[in-house]
Coordinates of all heavy atoms in Angstrom, one line a residue:
M1 N 0.8 -1.3 0.1 CA 0.0 0.0 0.0 C 0.9 1.2 0.0 O 0.5 2.4 -0.6 CB -0.9 0.0 1.3 CG -2.1 0.7 1.2 SD -3.2 0.3 -0.2 CE -4.6 1.1 0.1
L2 N 2.0 1.2 0.6 CA 2.9 2.3 0.7 C 3.5 2.6 -0.7 O 3.6 3.8 -1.1 CB 4.1 2.1 1.7 CG 5.1 3.1 1.8 CD1 4.5 4.5 2.3 CD2 6.2 2.7 2.7
A3 N 3.7 1.6 -1.5 CA 4.3 2.0 -2.8 C 3.2 2.5 -3.6 O 3.6 3.5 -4.5 CB 4.7 0.5 -3.5
L4 N 2.0 2.2 -3.5 CA 0.9 2.8 -4.3 C 0.7 4.3 -3.9 O 0.6 5.2 -4.7 CB -0.4 2.1 -4.1 CG -1.7 2.6 -4.8 CD1 -1.4 2.6 -6.3 CD2 -2.9 1.9 -4.4
A5 N 0.8 4.6 -2.6 CA 0.8 5.9 -2.1 C 2.0 6.7 -2.6 O 1.7 7.9 -2.9 CB 0.8 5.9 -0.5
V6 N 3.1 6.2 -2.5 CA 4.2 6.9 -3.1 C 4.2 7.2 -4.7 O 4.3 8.4 -5.0 CB 5.6 6.0 -2.9 CG1 6.7 6.6 -3.8 CG2 6.0 5.9 -1.5
A7 N 3.7 6.3 -5.4 CA 3.5 6.5 -6.8 C 2.4 7.5 -7.1 O 2.5 8.5 -7.8 CB 3.0 5.2 -7.5
Y8 N 1.3 7.5 -6.3 CA 0.3 8.5 -6.5 C 0.7 9.9 -6.1 O 0.4 10.9 -6.8 CB -0.9 8.1 -5.5 CG -2.2 9.0 -5.7 CD1 -3.0 8.8 -6.8 CD2 -2.5 10.0 -4.8 CE1 -4.1 9.7 -7.0 CE2 -3.5 10.8 -4.9 CZ -4.4 10.6 -5.9 OH -5.4 11.5 -6.1
E9 N 1.3 10.0 -4.9 CA 1.8 11.3 -4.4 C 2.9 12.0 -5.5 O 2.7 13.2 -5.8 CB 2.6 11.2 -3.1 CG 3.0 12.5 -2.5 CD 1.7 13.3 -2.1 OE1 0.6 12.8 -1.8 OE2 2.0 14.6 -2.0
I10 N 3.7 11.2 -6.0 CA 4.7 11.7 -6.9 C 4.0 12.1 -8.3 O 4.3 13.1 -8.8 CB 5.8 10.6 -7.2 CG1 6.7 10.5 -6.0 CG2 6.7 11.0 -8.5 CD1 7.8 9.4 -6.1
Q11 N 3.1 11.3 -8.7 CA 2.3 11.6 -10.0 C 1.6 12.9 -9.7 O 1.6 13.9 -10.6 CB 1.3 10.5 -10.2 CG 0.3 10.9 -11.4 CD 1.1 10.7 -12.8 OE1 2.0 10.0 -12.8 NE2 0.5 11.2 -13.7
C12 N 1.0 13.1 -8.6 CA 0.2 14.4 -8.3 C 1.1 15.6 -8.2 O 0.8 16.6 -8.8 CB -0.6 14.2 -7.0 SG -2.0 13.1 -7.3
R13 N 2.2 15.4 -7.5 CA 3.1 16.5 -7.3 C 3.8 16.9 -8.7 O 4.0 18.0 -9.0 CB 4.1 16.3 -6.3 CG 3.6 16.3 -4.9 CD 4.6 16.1 -3.9 NE 4.0 16.0 -2.6 CZ 4.7 16.3 -1.4 NH1 5.8 16.8 -1.5 NH2 4.1 16.2 -0.4
F14 N 4.2 15.8 -9.4 CA 4.9 16.2 -10.6 C 4.0 16.8 -11.7 O 4.3 17.8 -12.4 CB 5.4 14.8 -11.3 CG 6.3 15.0 -12.4 CD1 7.7 15.2 -12.2 CD2 5.8 14.7 -13.8 CE1 8.6 15.4 -13.2 CE2 6.7 14.9 -14.8 CZ 8.1 15.2 -14.4
T15 N 2.7 16.3 -11.7 CA 1.7 17.0 -12.6 C 1.4 18.4 -12.2 O 1.3 19.2 -13.1 CB 0.3 16.2 -12.6 OG1 0.6 14.8 -12.9 CG2 -0.6 16.7 -13.5
A16 N 1.3 18.7 -11.0 CA 1.2 20.1 -10.5 C 2.2 21.0 -10.8 O 2.0 22.2 -11.0 CB 0.8 20.1 -9.0
V17 N 3.5 20.6 -10.8 CA 4.6 21.5 -11.0 C 5.2 21.6 -12.3 O 5.7 22.6 -12.9 CB 5.6 21.1 -9.9 CG1 7.0 21.9 -10.1 CG2 5.2 21.2 -8.5
V18 N 5.2 20.4 -13.1 CA 5.9 20.3 -14.3 C 4.9 20.5 -15.5 O 4.1 19.5 -15.6 CB 6.8 19.0 -14.4 CG1 7.5 19.1 -15.7 CG2 7.8 19.1 -13.2
P19 N 4.9 21.4 -16.3 CA 4.0 21.5 -17.4 C 4.6 20.6 -18.6 O 5.1 21.1 -19.6 CB 4.1 23.0 -17.9 CG 5.5 23.4 -17.5 CD 5.8 22.6 -16.3
V20 N 4.5 19.3 -18.4 CA 4.9 18.3 -19.3 C 4.5 18.6 -20.9 O 5.4 18.7 -21.8 CB 4.7 16.9 -19.0 CG1 5.2 15.9 -20.0 CG2 5.3 16.6 -17.6
M21 N 3.1 18.7 -21.1 CA 2.7 18.8 -22.4 C 3.1 20.0 -23.0 O 3.4 20.2 -24.2 CB 1.2 18.6 -22.4 CG 0.6 17.3 -22.0 SD 1.2 16.0 -23.2 CE 0.0 16.2 -24.5
A22 N 3.2 21.2 -22.2 CA 3.5 22.5 -22.6 C 5.0 22.5 -23.1 O 5.4 23.3 -24.0 CB 3.3 23.6 -21.6
K23 N 5.9 21.6 -22.6 CA 7.2 21.5 -23.0 C 7.5 20.5 -24.1 O 8.6 20.3 -24.5 CB 8.2 21.1 -21.7 CG 8.1 22.1 -20.7 CD 8.8 23.3 -21.0 CE 8.9 24.3 -19.8 NZ 9.5 25.6 -20.1
G24 N 6.4 20.0 -24.7 CA 6.7 19.1 -25.8 C 6.8 17.6 -25.4 O 7.0 16.7 -26.4
F25 N 6.7 17.3 -24.1 CA 6.8 15.9 -23.7 C 5.4 15.3 -23.7 O 4.4 15.9 -23.5 CB 7.4 15.7 -22.4 CG 8.9 16.1 -22.4 CD1 9.2 17.4 -21.9 CD2 9.9 15.3 -22.8 CE1 10.6 17.9 -21.9 CE2 11.1 15.8 -22.8 CZ 11.5 17.0 -22.4
N26 N 5.4 13.9 -23.9 CA 4.2 13.1 -23.7 C 3.8 13.0 -22.3 O 4.8 12.8 -21.4 CB 4.4 11.8 -24.4 CG 3.2 10.9 -24.4 OD1 2.7 10.5 -23.4 ND2 2.6 10.9 -25.6
H27 N 2.6 13.1 -21.9 CA 2.2 12.9 -20.6 C 2.4 11.6 -20.0 O 2.3 11.4 -18.8 CB 0.6 13.4 -20.4 CG -0.3 12.4 -21.2 ND1 -0.5 12.5 -22.5 CD2 -0.9 11.3 -20.8 CE1 -1.3 11.6 -23.0 NE2 -1.5 10.9 -21.9
A28 N 2.7 10.6 -20.8 CA 2.9 9.3 -20.2 C 4.2 9.2 -19.4 O 4.4 8.3 -18.6 CB 3.0 8.3 -21.3
I29 N 5.1 10.3 -19.6 CA 6.4 10.2 -18.9 C 6.1 10.5 -17.5 O 6.8 10.0 -16.6 CB 7.3 11.4 -19.5 CG1 8.7 11.0 -19.1 CG2 6.9 12.7 -19.1 CD1 9.8 11.7 -19.9
Q30 N 5.0 11.2 -17.1 CA 4.6 11.3 -15.7 C 4.4 10.0 -15.1 O 4.7 9.8 -13.9 CB 3.6 12.3 -15.5 CG 3.8 13.6 -16.1 CD 2.5 14.4 -16.3 OE1 1.4 14.0 -16.7 NE2 2.5 15.7 -15.8
L31 N 3.6 9.2 -15.7 CA 3.3 7.9 -15.3 C 4.5 7.0 -15.1 O 4.6 6.2 -14.1 CB 2.2 7.2 -16.2 CG 1.8 5.8 -15.8 CD1 1.1 5.9 -14.5 CD2 0.8 5.2 -16.8
A32 N 5.4 7.0 -16.0 CA 6.6 6.3 -16.0 C 7.4 6.6 -14.7 O 8.0 5.8 -14.1 CB 7.4 6.5 -17.2
I33 N 7.5 7.9 -14.5 CA 8.4 8.4 -13.3 C 7.8 7.8 -12.0 O 8.3 7.3 -11.1 CB 8.5 9.9 -13.4 CG1 9.3 10.3 -14.5 CG2 9.0 10.4 -12.0 CD1 9.4 11.8 -14.7
S34 N 6.4 8.1 -11.9 CA 5.7 7.7 -10.7 C 5.6 6.2 -10.5 O 5.8 5.7 -9.3 CB 4.3 8.3 -10.5 OG 3.5 7.8 -11.6
A35 N 5.5 5.4 -11.6 CA 5.5 3.9 -11.5 C 6.8 3.5 -11.2 O 7.0 2.4 -10.3 CB 5.1 3.4 -12.8
A36 N 7.9 4.0 -11.6 CA 9.2 3.6 -11.2 C 9.6 3.9 -9.8 O 10.1 3.0 -9.2 CB 10.3 4.3 -12.1
A37 N 9.0 5.0 -9.3 CA 9.3 5.2 -7.8 C 8.5 4.3 -6.9 O 8.9 3.9 -6.0 CB 8.8 6.7 -7.6
G38 N 7.3 4.1 -7.3 CA 6.4 3.2 -6.6 C 6.9 1.8 -6.6 O 7.0 1.1 -5.6
A39 N 7.4 1.3 -7.8 CA 8.0 -0.1 -7.8 C 9.3 -0.2 -7.1 O 9.5 -1.2 -6.3 CB 8.2 -0.4 -9.3
G40 N 10.0 0.8 -7.1 CA 11.3 0.9 -6.4 C 10.9 0.8 -4.8 O 11.7 0.1 -4.1
K41 N 10.0 1.5 -4.4 CA 9.5 1.3 -2.9 C 9.1 0.0 -2.7 O 9.5 -0.6 -1.6 CB 8.6 2.5 -2.7 CG 8.3 2.7 -1.1 CD 9.5 3.2 -0.6 CE 9.2 3.7 0.9 NZ 10.4 4.1 1.5
L42 N 8.3 -0.5 -3.5 CA 7.8 -2.0 -3.4 C 8.9 -3.0 -3.3 O 8.8 -3.8 -2.4 CB 6.8 -2.2 -4.4 CG 6.2 -3.7 -4.5 CD1 5.2 -3.7 -3.3 CD2 5.4 -3.9 -5.7
F43 N 9.9 -2.8 -4.1 CA 11.0 -3.7 -4.0 C 12.1 -3.5 -3.0 O 13.0 -4.2 -2.9 CB 11.6 -3.9 -5.4 CG 10.8 -4.6 -6.4 CD1 10.4 -3.9 -7.6 CD2 10.2 -5.9 -6.2 CE1 9.6 -4.5 -8.5 CE2 9.5 -6.5 -7.2 CZ 9.1 -5.8 -8.2
G44 N 11.8 -2.3 -2.3 CA 12.8 -2.0 -1.2 C 14.2 -1.5 -1.7 O 15.2 -1.7 -1.0
L45 N 14.1 -0.9 -2.7 CA 15.4 -0.4 -3.3 C 15.9 0.9 -2.5 O 15.0 1.5 -1.9 CB 15.2 0.2 -4.8 CG 14.6 -0.9 -5.7 CD1 14.6 -0.3 -7.3 CD2 15.6 -2.2 -5.8
S46 N 17.1 1.1 -2.6 CA 17.7 2.3 -1.9 C 17.3 3.5 -2.7 O 16.7 3.4 -3.8 CB 19.3 2.3 -1.9 OG 19.7 2.3 -3.1
D47 N 17.5 4.6 -2.1 CA 17.2 5.9 -2.8 C 18.0 6.1 -4.1 O 17.5 6.5 -5.1 CB 17.6 7.2 -1.9 CG 16.6 7.3 -0.6 OD1 15.5 6.6 -0.7 OD2 16.9 8.0 0.2
E48 N 19.2 5.7 -4.1 CA 20.1 5.8 -5.3 C 19.5 4.8 -6.4 O 19.4 5.2 -7.6 CB 21.4 5.4 -5.0 CG 22.4 5.5 -6.2 CD 23.8 5.2 -5.9 OE1 24.1 4.8 -4.8 OE2 24.6 5.4 -6.8
Q49 N 19.1 3.7 -6.1 CA 18.5 2.7 -7.0 C 17.2 3.1 -7.5 O 16.9 3.0 -8.7 CB 18.3 1.3 -6.3 CG 19.6 0.7 -6.0 CD 19.5 -0.6 -5.2 OE1 18.6 -0.7 -4.2 NE2 20.2 -1.8 -5.5
I50 N 16.4 3.8 -6.7 CA 15.0 4.4 -7.2 C 15.3 5.5 -8.1 O 14.8 5.7 -9.2 CB 14.2 4.9 -6.0 CG1 13.8 3.6 -5.2 CG2 13.1 5.7 -6.4 CD1 13.0 4.0 -3.9
A51 N 16.4 6.3 -7.9 CA 16.8 7.4 -8.8 C 17.2 6.9 -10.1 O 16.8 7.4 -11.1 CB 17.8 8.3 -8.1
H52 N 17.9 5.9 -10.1 CA 18.3 5.1 -11.3 C 17.1 4.6 -12.1 O 17.0 4.8 -13.3 CB 19.4 4.1 -11.1 CG 20.6 4.5 -10.8 ND1 21.4 5.3 -11.6 CD2 21.4 4.3 -9.6 CE1 22.5 5.5 -11.0 NE2 22.6 4.9 -9.8
A53 N 16.3 4.0 -11.4 CA 15.0 3.5 -12.0 C 14.2 4.5 -12.6 O 13.7 4.4 -13.8 CB 14.1 2.7 -10.9
I54 N 14.1 5.7 -11.9 CA 13.3 6.9 -12.5 C 14.1 7.4 -13.8 O 13.4 7.7 -14.7 CB 13.2 8.0 -11.4 CG1 12.3 7.5 -10.3 CG2 12.7 9.2 -12.0 CD1 12.1 8.4 -9.2
S55 N 15.3 7.4 -13.7 CA 16.2 7.8 -14.8 C 15.8 6.9 -16.1 O 15.7 7.4 -17.2 CB 17.7 7.9 -14.6 OG 17.9 8.9 -13.6
I56 N 16.0 5.6 -15.8 CA 15.7 4.6 -16.8 C 14.2 4.8 -17.5 O 14.1 4.8 -18.7 CB 16.0 3.2 -16.4 CG1 17.4 3.0 -16.1 CG2 15.5 2.2 -17.4 CD1 17.8 1.8 -15.2
A57 N 13.3 5.0 -16.7 CA 11.9 5.1 -17.1 C 11.8 6.3 -17.9 O 11.0 6.4 -18.9 CB 11.0 5.0 -15.9
T58 N 12.4 7.4 -17.4 CA 12.3 8.7 -18.2 C 13.0 8.6 -19.6 O 12.4 8.9 -20.5 CB 13.0 9.8 -17.3 OG1 12.4 9.8 -16.0 CG2 12.8 11.2 -18.0
V59 N 14.1 8.1 -19.6 CA 14.8 8.0 -20.9 C 14.1 7.1 -21.8 O 14.0 7.4 -23.1 CB 16.3 7.5 -20.7 CG1 16.9 7.1 -21.9 CG2 17.1 8.5 -20.0
D60 N 13.6 6.1 -21.3 CA 12.8 5.1 -22.2 C 11.6 5.7 -22.7 O 11.1 5.5 -23.9 CB 12.4 3.9 -21.4 CG 11.6 2.9 -22.3 OD1 12.3 2.6 -23.3 OD2 10.6 2.4 -21.9
N61 N 10.9 6.8 -22.1 CA 9.7 7.3 -22.6 C 10.0 8.7 -23.4 O 8.9 9.3 -24.0 CB 8.8 7.6 -21.4 CG 8.0 6.4 -21.0 OD1 7.1 6.0 -21.8 ND2 8.5 5.6 -20.1
I62 N 11.1 9.2 -23.4 CA 11.5 10.3 -24.1 C 11.2 10.1 -25.6 O 10.7 11.1 -26.4 CB 12.9 10.8 -23.9 CG1 13.1 11.3 -22.5 CG2 13.3 11.9 -25.0 CD1 12.4 12.5 -22.1
S63 N 11.3 9.0 -26.1 CA 11.0 8.7 -27.5 C 9.6 9.0 -27.9 O 9.3 9.4 -29.1 CB 11.4 7.2 -27.9 OG 10.4 6.4 -27.1
L64 N 8.6 9.0 -27.0 CA 7.3 9.4 -27.3 C 7.2 10.8 -27.7 O 6.3 11.3 -28.4 CB 6.4 9.2 -26.1 CG 6.1 7.7 -25.7 CD1 5.3 7.6 -24.5 CD2 5.4 7.0 -26.8
T65 N 8.1 11.6 -27.3 CA 8.2 13.1 -27.7 C 8.3 13.3 -29.1 O 7.6 14.2 -29.7 CB 9.4 13.6 -26.9 OG1 9.3 13.5 -25.6 CG2 9.5 15.2 -27.3
C66 N 9.1 12.4 -29.7 CA 9.3 12.6 -31.2 C 7.9 12.4 -32.0 O 7.7 13.0 -32.9 CB 10.2 11.6 -31.7 SG 11.9 11.8 -31.0
V67 N 7.1 11.5 -31.5 CA 5.9 11.2 -32.1 C 4.8 12.2 -31.9 O 4.1 12.6 -32.7 CB 5.3 9.9 -31.6 CG1 3.9 9.5 -32.2 CG2 6.3 8.7 -31.9
H68 N 4.8 12.9 -30.8 CA 3.8 13.9 -30.4 C 4.1 15.3 -30.6 O 3.2 16.1 -30.3 CB 3.3 13.6 -29.0 CG 2.7 12.3 -28.8 ND1 1.4 12.0 -29.2 CD2 3.2 11.1 -28.3 CE1 1.1 10.8 -28.9 NE2 2.1 10.3 -28.4
V69 N 5.2 15.6 -31.0 CA 5.6 17.0 -31.0 C 5.1 17.6 -32.4 O 4.5 18.7 -32.4 CB 7.1 17.2 -31.1 CG1 7.6 18.6 -31.6 CG2 7.7 16.9 -29.8
E70 N 5.0 16.8 -33.6 CA 4.6 17.4 -34.7 C 3.1 17.3 -34.7 O 2.5 16.4 -34.2 CB 5.1 16.4 -35.9 CG 6.6 16.4 -36.1 CD 7.1 17.8 -36.5 OE1 6.5 18.5 -37.2 OE2 8.3 18.0 -36.0
P71 N 2.4 18.3 -35.4 CA 1.1 18.4 -35.4 C 0.3 17.4 -36.4 O -0.6 17.8 -37.1 CB 0.8 19.9 -35.8 CG 1.9 20.1 -36.6 CD 3.1 19.5 -36.1
Y72 N 0.8 16.2 -36.5 CA 0.2 15.2 -37.3 C -0.9 14.4 -36.6 O -0.7 14.2 -35.4 CB 1.2 14.4 -37.8 CG 2.2 15.1 -38.9 CD1 3.5 15.2 -38.6 CD2 1.8 15.7 -40.1 CE1 4.4 15.8 -39.4 CE2 2.7 16.3 -40.9 CZ 4.0 16.4 -40.6 OH 4.9 17.0 -41.4
R73 N -1.8 13.8 -37.4 CA -2.5 12.8 -36.7 C -1.7 11.6 -36.5 O -0.7 11.4 -37.1 CB -3.7 12.3 -37.7 CG -4.7 13.5 -37.9 CD -6.0 12.9 -38.6 NE -5.6 12.0 -39.8 CZ -5.6 12.4 -41.1 NH1 -5.7 13.7 -41.3 NH2 -5.3 11.5 -41.9
S74 N -2.0 10.9 -35.5 CA -1.0 9.7 -35.0 C -0.6 8.8 -36.2 O 0.3 8.3 -36.3 CB -1.7 8.9 -33.9 OG -2.9 8.4 -34.2
G75 N -1.7 8.5 -37.1 CA -1.5 7.5 -38.1 C -0.5 8.2 -39.2 O 0.1 7.4 -40.0
R76 N -0.4 9.4 -39.2 CA 0.5 10.1 -40.3 C 1.9 10.5 -39.8 O 2.6 11.1 -40.5 CB -0.2 11.3 -40.9 CG -1.5 10.8 -41.7 CD -2.0 12.0 -42.5 NE -1.1 12.8 -43.3 CZ -0.6 12.4 -44.4 NH1 -1.0 11.5 -45.0 NH2 0.2 13.3 -45.1
A77 N 2.1 10.3 -38.5 CA 3.3 10.9 -37.8 C 4.6 10.4 -38.5 O 5.6 11.1 -38.5 CB 3.4 10.4 -36.3
F78 N 4.6 9.2 -39.0 CA 5.8 8.5 -39.6 C 5.8 8.7 -41.1 O 6.8 8.1 -41.6 CB 6.0 7.1 -39.1 CG 6.0 6.9 -37.7 CD1 5.0 6.5 -36.9 CD2 7.3 7.3 -37.0 CE1 5.1 6.4 -35.6 CE2 7.3 7.2 -35.6 CZ 6.3 6.7 -34.9
L79 N 4.9 9.2 -41.8 CA 4.9 9.2 -43.2 C 5.7 10.5 -43.7 O 5.5 11.5 -43.1 CB 3.4 9.3 -43.7 CG 2.5 8.1 -43.5 CD1 1.1 8.3 -44.0 CD2 3.1 6.9 -44.1
P80 N 6.4 10.3 -44.7 CA 7.1 11.5 -45.3 C 6.1 12.4 -46.0 O 5.0 12.1 -46.4 CB 8.0 10.8 -46.4 CG 7.4 9.6 -46.7 CD 6.7 9.0 -45.5
E81 N 6.6 13.7 -46.0 CA 5.6 14.6 -46.6 C 5.7 14.8 -48.1 O 6.6 14.5 -48.7 CB 5.9 16.0 -46.0 CG 5.5 16.1 -44.5 CD 5.6 17.4 -43.9 OE1 5.3 18.4 -44.7 OE2 6.0 17.5 -42.8

């Protein structure tokens, strides 16, 4: 239950402070960060290990930015002009 509370709290605080969509990032990155923190707590990781898990989750989801930055419909995002 503590891991769920950690993930929820981080998600809420991150969403309130960081304008992810306004900066061109996909909103799923917020979920990746909070899920990594919650999972780290659940597995009893150290603070440093949780920080690494958050970094890995963040880097893995940055690729979504490339898809959502352009004003194309999702089906046309990869088609040449």
Side-chain angles (χ1 to χ4, degrees):
M1 203 60 167
L2 178 60
L4 180 63
V6 166
Y8 183 78
E9 186 67 24
I10 289 175
Q11 176 76 19
C12 290
R13 289 184 185 209
F14 193 80
T15 302
V17 175
V18 181
V20 176
M21 296 294 282
K23 297 290 184 182
F25 294 102
N26 184 285
H27 63 279
I29 200 164
Q30 297 165 316
L31 178 60
I33 291 169
S34 62
K41 192 67 171 174
L42 181 66
F43 290 123
L45 301 181
S46 69
D47 290 345
E48 183 179 5
Q49 291 171 317
I50 292 173
H52 287 297
I54 290 171
S55 296
I56 292 167
T58 303
V59 168
D60 185 50
N61 280 282
I62 292 294
S63 61
L64 289 172
T65 303
C66 298
V67 176
H68 294 282
V69 169
E70 298 295 327
Y72 296 116
R73 292 190 318 266
S74 60
R76 295 187 47 81
F78 298 105
L79 297 177
E81 293 191 33

